[in-house]
Amino acid sequence: MTTPPCWPETAGPPDLSSIPLARLTLDRDFVAHLANQKKARAGYSRQVIQKDTKVLLGDPADYPQAMVDAICLAVRELPEVKGLYLRLMSRPGESQPSYLVVVDHCGEQDTVFRTIADAARPHLGGRFVDMVPFDSDFGRTAVKDTKPFFSRS
């Protein structure tokens, strides 16, 4: 048997038989939460919010101009993006509100959303950015009486 270099040549692998093991049961919701956290750290993840979930929407008190500028610069290269709207969204159980970008677009949603997430990431200041398509009921309702921060003419 070859001893891995991390163990002393004479010791060999440690005997784990005397270490007590704990049994841990994780429910599906917690496993899904962990998977979403892992994806969020990697950048872009897709989540489905239940239809009757109550959210509070508003406008950011401290407008994230650097984030908005970065997003606008990134989507100029995507002709399928017609407009972008910014709101602040608070969901039950979250410690702080996230930015909500409502995206008026046609074409491949994953590419558009990933481009926006990548552009926003360096400017989030500890917040998350959520995105929804404008053509959804929630998207249209969220931006009623709101002007877009990006509009393709």
Side-chain angles (χ1 to χ4, degrees):
M1 176 171 125
T2 305
T3 304
C6 59
W7 292 316
E9 201 54 48
T10 57
D15 178 17
L16 301 178
S17 63
S18 63
I19 298 174
L21 298 176
R23 182 172 296 238
L24 181 63
T25 304
L26 303 176
D27 65 20
R28 288 178 192 260
D29 290 338
F30 187 69
V31 171
H33 170 75
L34 291 176
N36 284 332
Q37 290 293 341
K38 180 179 178 183
K39 288 178 186 175
R41 277 188 236 110
Y44 171 76
S45 67
R46 181 182 296 239
Q47 295 181 354
V48 176
I49 299 172
Q50 298 304 317
K51 183 176 183 176
D52 295 329
T53 301
K54 302 277 188 218
V55 298
L56 297 174
L57 295 172
D59 296 315
D62 295 321
Y63 195 76
Q65 190 64 54
M67 180 187 79
V68 166
D69 290 345
I71 292 171
C72 288
L73 186 64
V75 299
R76 281 189 188 128
E77 305 300 319
L78 299 174
E80 58 266 38
V81 175
K82 297 182 271 182
L84 299 170
Y85 302 80
L86 180 67
R87 301 302 311 266
L88 201 61
M89 180 173 73
S90 181
R91 288 186 274 181
E94 289 187 342
S95 60
Q96 72 172 340
S98 60
Y99 294 117
L100 173 67
V101 177
V102 179
V103 184
D104 187 3
H105 71 94
C106 56
E108 177 56 42
Q109 180 170 294
D110 284 342
T111 301
V112 170
F113 281 20
R114 188 174 313 277
T115 299
I116 294 169
D118 289 345
R121 188 175 304 109
H123 309 284
L124 292 175
R127 292 189 193 272
F128 288 100
V129 62
D130 294 305
M131 289 169 275
V132 296
F134 177 79
D135 66 358
S136 66
D137 289 338
F138 178 72
R140 283 189 299 280
T141 302
V143 298
K144 185 178 180 186
D145 300 324
T146 303
K147 294 185 190 247
F149 68 85
F150 173 86
S151 181
R152 191 170 311 275
S153 14

